[in-house]
């Protein structure tokens, strides 16, 4: 068993797709360890995406992620990082496979409905960024 960090992004929350995405999470065998709705501050979004600072889409990404509330999740299952990326589908919904979160719910590469950690190492960093240790037991 290992863990990954997921975000249901502002576009998906605003469109009423929290339930659809949580259903996909559960149907795919993830245990939800922690889950919280939160309206990110600019500082929180900038810190979370610091690795992308300087890229052309960084400012747009920070504005988007702070426009309205998100849902933050800690997910657990075997091979959690790779499996959640598979369930989300490709970053660009135009390339996402049928039945994936992004094919079903995303509208563009920027407004792409969900986030998932890209490695076990980053999952640990991202989980610790948003959840206290006591929430992850
Ligand atoms: P995410 O998995 O949250 O991690 C970084 C995000 O940057 C990514 O999802 C996309 O939403 C966003 N992103 C990546 N490339 C682009 C791009 N070319 N234009 C706009 N947003 C992008």
């Amino acid at each position: 068993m290992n863990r990954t960090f997921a975000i249901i992004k502002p576009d998906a929350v605003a469109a009423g797709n929290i339930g659809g995405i949580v259903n996909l999470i559960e149907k795919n065998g993830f245990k939800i360890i922690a889950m919280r709705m939160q309206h990110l501050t600019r500082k929180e979004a900038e810190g979370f995406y610091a690795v992308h600072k300087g890229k052309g889409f960084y400012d747009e990404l920070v504005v988007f992620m702070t426009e309205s509330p998100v849902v933050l999740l800690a997910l657990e299952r075997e091979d959690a990082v790779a499996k959640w990326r598979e369930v989300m589908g490709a970053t660009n919904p135009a390339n996402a496979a049928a039945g994936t979160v992004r094919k079903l719910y995303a509208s563009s590469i920027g407004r792409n409905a969900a986030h998932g950690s890209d490695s076990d190492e980053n999952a640990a960093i991202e989980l610790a960024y948003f959840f206290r240790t006591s929430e992850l037991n």
Side-chain angles (χ1 to χ4, degrees):
M1 287 295 165
N2 66 354
R3 290 180 178 185
T4 193
F5 174 68
I7 304 178
I8 303 175
K9 293 188 180 183
D11 56 334
V13 172
N17 292 323
I18 296 174
I21 295 173
V22 168
N23 189 35
L24 278 172
I25 288 169
E26 294 187 323
K27 268 204 324 205
N28 280 281
F30 291 93
K31 180 178 175 189
I32 298 173
I33 302 293
M35 178 161 90
R36 178 172 79 247
M37 191 179 235
Q38 186 165 318
H39 194 153
L40 301 183
T41 64
R42 184 168 179 94
K43 201 172 161 193
E44 284 166 338
E46 284 177 347
F48 182 73
Y49 282 119
V51 63
H52 295 298
K53 200 174 166 80
K55 293 184 186 163
F57 59 82
Y58 178 75
D59 286 333
E60 179 189 328
L61 178 61
V62 169
V63 168
F64 164 56
M65 290 301 290
T66 57
E67 72 180 26
S68 55
V70 300
V71 176
L72 310 168
L73 301 108
L75 305 178
E76 183 175 87
R77 63 156 274 165
E78 197 185 329
D79 210 10
V81 168
K83 185 67 188 178
W84 174 235
R85 293 179 74 79
E86 184 188 317
V87 173
M88 281 195 300
T91 305
N92 186 343
N95 304 323
T100 60
V101 170
R102 281 155 172 171
K103 188 67 178 184
L104 289 166
Y105 302 121
S107 53
S108 69
I109 191 168
R111 303 178 73 83
N112 67 350
H115 166 82
S117 309
D118 63 3
S119 65
D120 286 350
E121 188 191 2
N122 283 334
I125 292 168
E126 293 177 359
L127 287 166
Y129 190 81
F130 283 115
F131 293 110
R132 293 190 299 275
T133 310
S134 60
E135 295 177 284
L136 298 173
N137 288 330

